Structures are given as C-alpha cells and as structure tokens.
Amino acid sequence: MIGLGRMGGPMAQRLTRGGHRVAGLARNPDALRQLEEMNIVSAASFDELVNSLKPPRIVWLMIPAGAPVDENIAGLLPLLEPDDVIVDGGNSNYKDTQRRAQRLKANRIHYVDAGTSGGVWGLQNGYSIMVGGDEEVVARLRPIFETLAPAADKGWGRVGPHGAGHFTKMVHNGIEYGMMQAYGEGFAIMRHKTEFSLDLHQVAEIWRDGSVVQSWLLDLTSAALAKNPQLDGIAPYVSDSGEGRWTVAEAIDLDVAAPVITLALLQRLQSRDPESFSNKLLSAMRNQFGGHEMKKE
C-alpha cells in the first residue's frame, strides 16, 4: 500500500486503477469522504496514515515547496521506521532535496525526489516523472512509476542521485516558460493584424497537426481559444511557481546563457505591475530630452 500525504485525487485514482492499494491523508471531512468514494483508504492524521501502511512504507508528498515539505517530514519522521521511503513529488528546490535526503539518511529513512509533470490531465494521459535517489530504492518503487507514467517504459526514469529529479523538473519548467511566452507573443502578433481577421482558434487547430510547432501546450492553447476566443474576463497577470527563477539563477551560477527563459520570467514579472513606474519614467525622460509628448492617464 502507498500512503499519499495530501496527494491530488487524479494521481491517487490512477494508482488505484493500476491495482495499487492507496491511503490518503486529508483533514477535511468532505475530503475524507471523497477519498473513500475513490476506494482510497482515508486517514485524518499522520498517525492514521502511517498505521494504515505495511512496512516498509512508501509515503508520497504532493504539497507546495518550501516550509510545508519540512513540516510534513517533521510530522512523519517520529512515526516512520528504518527502510521506509518518503517521496517528494512536488516542485521542491533541488538543494532543499539534497539537504532533506542527508537528514533522513541519518534516520535510515530513504528519500526520493520525483519531479512530476502532467497537471490535471495526468489521470487520462499519465505523468512525466523525473526521479532522483538511490538506484536500489528507485527500483523498489518502479511499479508505482510505471503505473503513473504514460506507459511502463515511457515518460519516466531515474535521472540521477538525490536532487537530480527536482533539478531536471526545474529546468523543464524553465523551458516551459519560454515556450509559453513564444506562443503568447505569436498569437498576439496575429491578433493585431486586423486586416486579415484571423480566427486564432482555427490557426491553432491547423498548427496542431503536421507543424513543427505542434505540442501539448498548443493543444491547450487551442482549447482555451475555443472556449474564450477573446480571452474575456482574464487579467493580463501571470504568476510563477518559482521554478523559472531557480532556473535563471542556476544558469547564472553555471555561466550558461539562457536569454529566452530569463526574458520569459521577466515578462511575467512585468505583467504584475499595472502602474509600471519604469515605463512612466521612460516617458518622462523622453519628454525631458526631446520634448516628446507624454500620454496622460
């Protein structure tokens, strides 16, 4: 049986469909009922979760990066036994993962980082999983990864030691930033070419087959445009999970030029500044040195 601490429903469902017995942790009574409806053993506390698992246990954390991961590990550690495994499937910083692995090693608890991509579509399509950790431990978890992946021999693999899985997922997300930015800019150019009255959803559909720019991101773009062609009601504000920042920082540390990923990150930051002081100052400077007109609010 696999214990999934606060894990998303789709991943748990995919495991149960694959024949694995799964226990899930939830504090909310409604969430507990939902787990039971999915044939998942429900647990309302760390004690209940750990006690529902047969040693050696596998506890998979799917929670936000940072302090929440450390807090969950602290809550689990007194309850686990030597040879149990904690898997972090979230978007943790790989340096934190290396630190946690060393800490748990002293308690003879195994730690595996599983950078996971697939989002809400993972239940249907399977997840891409980049795994870091000891080879023997990853081999023990192989049936789990094979079930979660698109196929037993596709979409997952051990990429290296502790931290390698999260490092690879970090770069994966950095690349994603650049791809999303390119799609956004390209469709914006077409939207502004008003003389052609282009149907952007139609263009996306054409590109989805046979084009060198076809991708799952393009599939999702097409779906979004079909539902809301003018993107009405959506603010031009783009958040980030932090992994783009980590990718850019790592590129700087390694002396690797990464202008596309860096600029994509900066564009997201710029989207959050509706009062853009820097742009106002640019306008003011042009007025000062050349008498250029300034647009008033």
Side-chain angles (χ1 to χ4, degrees):
M1 181 183 282
I2 308 147
L4 304 178
R6 302 184 186 180
M7 193 173 191
M11 293 187 77
Q13 288 181 65
R14 190 170 178 88
L15 285 171
T16 55
R17 290 179 183 179
H20 299 278
R21 292 190 64 222
V22 181
L25 174 64
R27 298 285 201 279
N28 185 287
D30 291 334
L32 288 170
R33 282 193 293 272
Q34 290 176 6
L35 289 173
E36 293 166 357
E37 290 171 359
M38 293 187 290
N39 295 319
I40 297 171
V41 177
S42 62
S45 67
F46 287 132
D47 292 86
E48 289 185 18
L49 180 70
V50 172
N51 289 333
S52 69
L53 305 175
K54 181 180 178 181
R57 305 170 182 86
I58 301 168
V59 180
W60 187 307
L61 301 178
M62 205 71 182
I63 55 179
V69 178
D70 288 313
E71 292 167 3
N72 276 261
I73 291 175
L76 287 165
L77 192 54
L79 307 172
L80 297 178
E81 300 175 2
D83 212 30
D84 287 346
V85 182
I86 295 179
V87 182
D88 181 0
N91 287 330
S92 290
N93 188 296
Y94 79 95
K95 295 179 182 179
D96 288 335
T97 299
Q98 292 174 318
R99 168 179 57 80
R100 291 164 184 149
Q102 287 302 310
R103 177 193 175 193
L104 290 170
K105 184 177 180 180
N107 296 86
R108 297 173 59 193
I109 305 296
H110 302 294
Y111 198 62
V112 171
D113 47 302
T116 305
S117 180
V120 296
W121 295 92
L123 175 60
Q124 176 182 340
N125 301 330
Y127 298 88
S128 174
I129 308 175
M130 297 136 269
V131 186
D134 294 337
E135 289 187 52
E136 295 179 2
V137 179
V138 174
R140 190 204 304 178
L141 304 182
R142 185 181 186 91
I144 299 173
F145 296 129
E146 289 180 342
T147 301
L148 290 173
D153 58 347
K154 293 181 180 180
W156 80 278
R158 178 185 178 272
V159 295
H162 299 113
H166 281 150
F167 179 84
T168 307
K169 178 57 163 50
M170 175 193 75
V171 177
H172 164 283
N173 281 24
I175 294 171
E176 181 183 293
Y177 278 41
M179 292 175 65
M180 292 174 68
Q181 185 66 33
Y183 280 127
E185 291 174 7
F187 278 90
I189 293 170
M190 290 188 288
R191 184 174 186 272
H192 281 77
K193 191 64 173 176
T194 55
E195 68 176 283
F196 291 148
S197 301
L198 295 171
D199 181 336
L200 299 187
H201 174 247
Q202 179 197 29
V203 174
E205 283 294 297
I206 293 172
W207 288 357
R208 287 182 63 201
D209 294 292
S211 167
V212 295
V213 299
Q214 66 184 28
S215 72
W216 186 39
L217 279 175
L218 182 60
D219 295 343
L220 300 177
T221 299
S222 180
L225 290 170
K227 183 178 180 180
N228 188 355
Q230 301 303 319
L231 304 183
D232 295 326
I234 300 176
Y237 180 106
V238 188
S239 300
D240 72 281
S241 63
E243 295 210 308
R245 301 175 186 227
W246 300 342
T247 305
V248 171
E250 198 70 30
I252 294 170
D253 288 344
L254 296 172
D255 290 331
V256 175
V260 172
I261 296 174
T262 302
L263 185 56
L265 171 64
L266 295 179
Q267 286 294 108
R268 293 193 181 198
L269 299 181
Q270 188 179 56
S271 77
R272 303 170 207 174
D273 185 7
E275 297 298 321
S276 187
F277 185 82
S278 63
N279 287 341
K280 290 182 179 181
L281 190 56
L282 287 174
S283 182
M285 284 188 282
R286 291 184 75 251
N287 176 260
Q288 287 292 318
F289 68 67
H292 300 289
E293 182 181 359
M294 292 186 294
K295 184 177 180 179
K296 302 296 183 179
E297 292 182 332

